[in-house]
Amino acid sequence: MFGYPVEHTLSPAMHNAAIAALGLHYVYIPFSVPPDQIGPAIRSLVALGIIGVNLTIPHKERVLPYLDQIAPEAQALGAVNTVHNVESRLIGYNTDDRGFTEPLRAAGFSPQGKRAVVLGAGGAARAVTHRLARDGAQITLVNRTPERAQALADEVNRSVGREMVDWLHFAERTRLTDVMKGAQLLVNTTSVGMSPNYQAIPPIPLDALHPGLFVYDLIYRPQETRLLAAARAVGAQTLNGIAMLVHQGAAAFEIWTGTRPPLDVMEQAVLAGLER
Ligand SMILES: NC(=O)c1ccc[n+]([C@@H]2O[C@H](COP(=O)([O-])OP(=O)(O)OC[C@H]3O[C@@H](n4cnc5c(N)ncnc54)[C@H](OP(=O)(O)O)[C@@H]3O)[C@@H](O)[C@H]2O)c1
């Protein structure tokens, strides 16, 4: 993994546990790569014979010019989180959208024809919104910085060729209440509520949470954010970010090794890492 910083990542524990469980001869190592060094770092995969790498903040977009090929889903997102070295050709993928969508499907939720509210308009929101729009959901983006929400809505609508996404500011409480009451899915992609600021909660009207709303918070530290606790209290189905972390990692593992890793082993490694 190349990131900056990488000190708190759970990915090495998760991947090394899967490697050990399968008896494979690999090792997954985090490297702290400053932003201006991503070019030499990524080309070192070829020199060193490394089979692949995950990319995290701030490298997911910067890496694009250094790759030989980019898979369509990563092309659409303009962001790569997984690189595979295939006979010295570097191929970029994005497994974040599979990471997001597979736990949703496993929980029995199909986005087709549903109304979704996505909080945030950053990197994670991009993967989530593209995926949900392609899967047939009508989406309202809600963000603190309206320009970012508008830009993302325009980008996704252009990409799917239909008006699937509109946007609101958190301050538009009445409209946001109506939208939430009519929605079946609410996804928090903001970092609000993430440790160490776990007392924070996204500024939404909590009285608009309802039992018919599936509330998916991408945060995994803490495992139950205040948003998820509020949703659970009204009887809504909830999901935290652990499954997304495991599924995006599993998809990358499969790209590199051609082997489907044991998801339960990866999840146990993440849970153990979170307790530390
Ligand atoms: N489970 C997983 O595998 C997984 C994967 C990816 C990300 N995530 C989680 O998703 C979250 C976002 O990651 P990211 O990469 O998308 O980050 P990002 O690109 O920095 O985007 C952060 C978003 O949060 C909003 N935000 C931040 N502080 C806020 C505040 N005080 N009030 C209102 N909005 C605020 C930002 O709004 P502005 O546009 O106004 O700045 C932006 O929309 C993080 O918690 C991350 O851990 C989880």
Side-chain angles (χ1 to χ4, degrees), residues 39-53:
I42 202 75
R43 295 311 305 182
S44 78
L45 265 64
V46 173
L48 299 174
I50 295 170
I51 65 155
V53 69

Side-chain angles (χ1 to χ4, degrees), residues 120-124 143-145 148 189-192 194 218 241 244-245:
N143 201 43
R144 177 180 60 177
T145 310
R148 282 184 97 186
T189 77
T190 76
S191 43
V192 181
M194 187 167 78
L218 303 195
M244 175 168 175
L245 180 68

Side-chain angles (χ1 to χ4, degrees), residues 10-126:
L10 296 167
S11 291
M14 177 171 83
H15 282 281
N16 287 324
I19 289 164
L22 292 169
L24 298 175
H25 293 282
Y26 294 109
V27 63
Y28 186 107
I29 306 168
F31 289 93
S32 178
V33 176
D36 64 345
Q37 291 300 315
I38 189 60
I42 202 75
R43 295 311 305 182
S44 78
L45 265 64
V46 173
L48 299 174
I50 295 170
I51 65 155
V53 69
N54 275 144
L55 299 163
T56 184
I57 290 172
H59 301 311
K60 289 185 184 185
E61 282 116 30
R62 290 169 199 260
V63 74
L64 296 178
Y66 303 104
L67 301 176
D68 298 304
Q69 195 180 324
I70 298 167
E73 80 287 345
Q75 195 89 259
L77 290 172
V80 161
N81 79 332
T82 300
V83 176
H84 189 198
N85 176 5
V86 184
E87 293 171 358
S88 300
R89 280 179 57 75
L90 299 182
I91 307 174
Y93 296 87
N94 196 307
T95 66
D96 282 338
D97 73 339
R98 271 182 67 188
F100 166 72
T101 206
E102 283 183 19
L104 209 49
R105 191 175 325 135
F109 187 94
S110 162
Q112 176 62 42
K114 303 278 173 36
R115 298 209 62 101
V117 179
V118 174
L119 310 179
R126 237 165 134 212

Side-chain angles (χ1 to χ4, degrees), residues 1 6 8 20 52 74 84 94 110 132-133 147 154 193 199 209 211 226 233 237-239 243 246 248 252 257 265 274:
M1 162 177 277
V6 284
H8 299 293
H84 189 198
N94 196 307
S110 162
L132 286 175
E147 298 77 25
D154 290 348
Q199 289 296 347
L209 294 171
R226 275 191 65 203
Q237 196 175 347
T238 60
L239 185 63
V246 169
Q248 63 77 28
T257 67
V265 169
L274 286 172

Side-chain angles (χ1 to χ4, degrees), residues 8-10 13 195 220-224 240 242 245 266-276:
H8 299 293
T9 176
L10 296 167
S195 179
Y220 48 79
R221 223 190 291 251
Q223 292 178 46
E224 187 177 74
N240 67 20
I242 292 177
L245 180 68
M266 294 176 91
E267 185 178 335
Q268 284 310 315
V270 168
L271 290 172
L274 286 172
E275 273 160 28
R276 245 174 257 134

